[in-house]
Amino acid sequence: MKQADLIWMNGELVAWEDAKVHVLTHALHYGTGVFEGVRAYDTPRGTAIFRHADHIDRLFRSAGMYLMDIPYTREELRAATHETIQRNNLKSCYIRPLVFRGAGPMGLFPLDSPVEVTIAVWEWGAYLGDEGKRLGVRGKVSSFRRISSNAVIPAAKATGQYVNSVLAKIEASKAGYEEAILLDDRGMVCEGSGENLFVVKDGVIATPGFAADILGGINRSSVITIARDLGYELVERDIARGELYLADEVFLTGTAAEIVPVREIDGRAVGVGPVTASIRAAYDDVVHGRDPRFAAWLDPVRAVATPA
Ligand SMILES: Cc1ncc(COP(=O)(O)O)c(C=O)c1O
């Protein structure tokens, strides 16, 4: 992670060091925030944000599920993101919009606390490491089950919900693995701590559906489209833990991680194979603007006037 110069905070750009909040910020105490992870890529048409509208839509949906009214329009947040990337002079970057309950009345009832919005951008390489991206990561099935929709709202990308991923990530990391794989509360395979999961067996690709309490990943949906476009059969269905050990290939998808093969699960080797490689090659072409058929997924960063 490389620090940038400016962060957009409640309508203005402030120095990275000055983007601060009060200690009584509601979201700090109770996790009442929602966020997005987005990437912008260097393309032949300049810097372009991948599936920007879909990320902004998910941000609004997440906020809506927690009854937070975002005090900006979709277009205002889009323009603010363009401006933040430009003013930081970044050709490619990770983008982190955050909507959270600020300092207001203390106590669990959140609806009287102000809603604040920030957008940070920074250069961020391979989330699970360059070697992991190339050769595959080692995954461990977590003893922590994925949060269920009987307790919270797994479809919302809400900050407080991420203590679940954090616990799983710590456990996997302390055991010497790069990533945790969480089962849902029924014991079926759900996803990684910050990625969706796909299994390849006999040429057919499977990924858990929404009944498994997944986060509806935007890269998951991109990969489903790309894989079908490449001619693969792809099904959304429940996946039993044992299938992980029998799979020909397993891979993870997410905005931060992109597409990462899993080369070992719970000490059992998994092949890093041609299906993952071909989907990843096609995906790389799409995000870098080399496949004109998917140009609509790219939001080119427009010129914005720089204040005198
Ligand atoms: C828990 C979880 N699942 C899945 C994903 C993948 O989602 P996306 O492809 O939209 O980045 C993420 C990443 O944001 C995540 O945090």
Side-chain angles (χ1 to χ4, degrees):
M1 173 176 184
K2 195 165 156 223
Q3 183 174 324
D5 297 332
L6 301 166
I7 289 179
W8 191 90
M9 192 165 189
N10 297 321
E12 54 186 84
L13 286 165
V14 300
W16 179 282
E17 298 77 13
D18 296 332
K20 294 180 180 159
V21 296
H22 195 275
V23 291
L24 293 186
T25 294
H26 199 275
L28 266 181
H29 297 249
Y30 304 120
T32 44
V34 297
F35 69 104
E36 271 304 313
V38 194
R39 272 191 192 270
Y41 292 88
D42 195 10
T43 79
R45 290 164 69 202
T47 302
I49 305 170
F50 186 58
R51 301 200 66 173
H52 198 192
D54 297 307
H55 282 283
I56 293 176
D57 281 347
R58 188 170 65 184
L59 184 71
F60 275 79
R61 277 201 305 276
S62 297
M65 287 188 261
Y66 277 88
L67 303 183
M68 302 169 84
D69 285 329
I70 300 181
Y72 300 95
T73 63
R74 285 171 165 73
E75 189 49 43
E76 283 169 338
L77 292 189
R78 174 174 175 240
T81 305
H82 285 206
E83 185 182 7
T84 309
I85 293 171
Q86 286 211 314
R87 294 284 302 280
N88 281 294
N89 290 314
L90 293 170
K91 276 195 176 343
S92 61
C93 60
Y94 183 79
I95 305 161
R96 169 56 58 83
L98 172 67
V99 176
F100 61 98
R101 293 276 177 191
M106 203 23 90
L108 281 169
F109 184 75
L111 303 188
D112 293 329
S113 294
V115 176
E116 304 203 25
V117 184
T118 60
I119 303 167
V121 299
W122 63 85
E123 279 179 51
W124 212 11
Y127 174 65
L128 293 175
D130 285 324
E131 195 185 302
K133 197 171 162 186
R134 241 176 344 107
L135 305 175
V137 294
R138 297 173 58 245
K140 178 187 185 329
V141 173
S142 179
S143 70
F144 291 100
R145 293 280 169 97
R146 164 82 172 157
I147 45 171
S148 100
S149 42
N150 295 316
V152 284
I153 313 175
K157 200 166 164 61
T159 58
Q161 298 183 173
Y162 272 80
V163 291
N164 178 233
S165 289
V166 165
L167 288 171
K169 186 81 180 180
I170 292 172
E171 180 187 61
S173 174
K174 282 196 172 292
Y177 293 83
E178 284 94 48
E179 190 50 292
I181 297 168
L182 287 84
L183 308 180
D184 68 16
D185 68 344
R186 303 167 304 163
M188 305 308 288
V189 172
C190 182
E191 58 186 19
S193 70
E195 307 88 17
N196 293 111
L197 182 142
F198 291 75
V199 166
V200 184
K201 183 71 183 169
D202 297 331
V204 178
I205 307 170
T207 191
F210 285 86
D213 283 338
I214 59 166
L215 178 78
I218 289 166
N219 264 12
R220 173 183 182 274
S221 93
S222 307
V223 161
I224 290 173
T225 303
I226 289 168
R228 287 183 175 148
D229 180 68
L230 290 171
Y232 290 113
E233 185 185 343
L234 189 149
V235 290
E236 295 178 62
R237 64 163 175 86
D238 282 340
I239 295 173
R241 175 177 184 169
E243 291 185 69
L244 296 174
Y245 307 138
L246 292 169
D248 296 329
E249 301 174 37
V250 175
F251 62 91
L252 301 169
T253 67
T255 298
E258 301 180 300
I259 298 177
V260 173
V262 182
R263 66 180 166 88
E264 185 187 312
I265 298 175
D266 297 341
R268 293 151 180 87
V270 183
V272 174
V275 177
T276 309
S278 66
I279 293 172
R280 196 160 67 177
Y283 171 86
D284 277 345
D285 283 344
V286 170
V287 297
H288 289 103
R290 296 189 294 259
D291 187 338
R293 294 173 311 142
F294 292 95
W297 278 354
L298 291 167
D299 179 23
V301 174
R302 292 172 313 204
V304 288
T306 309

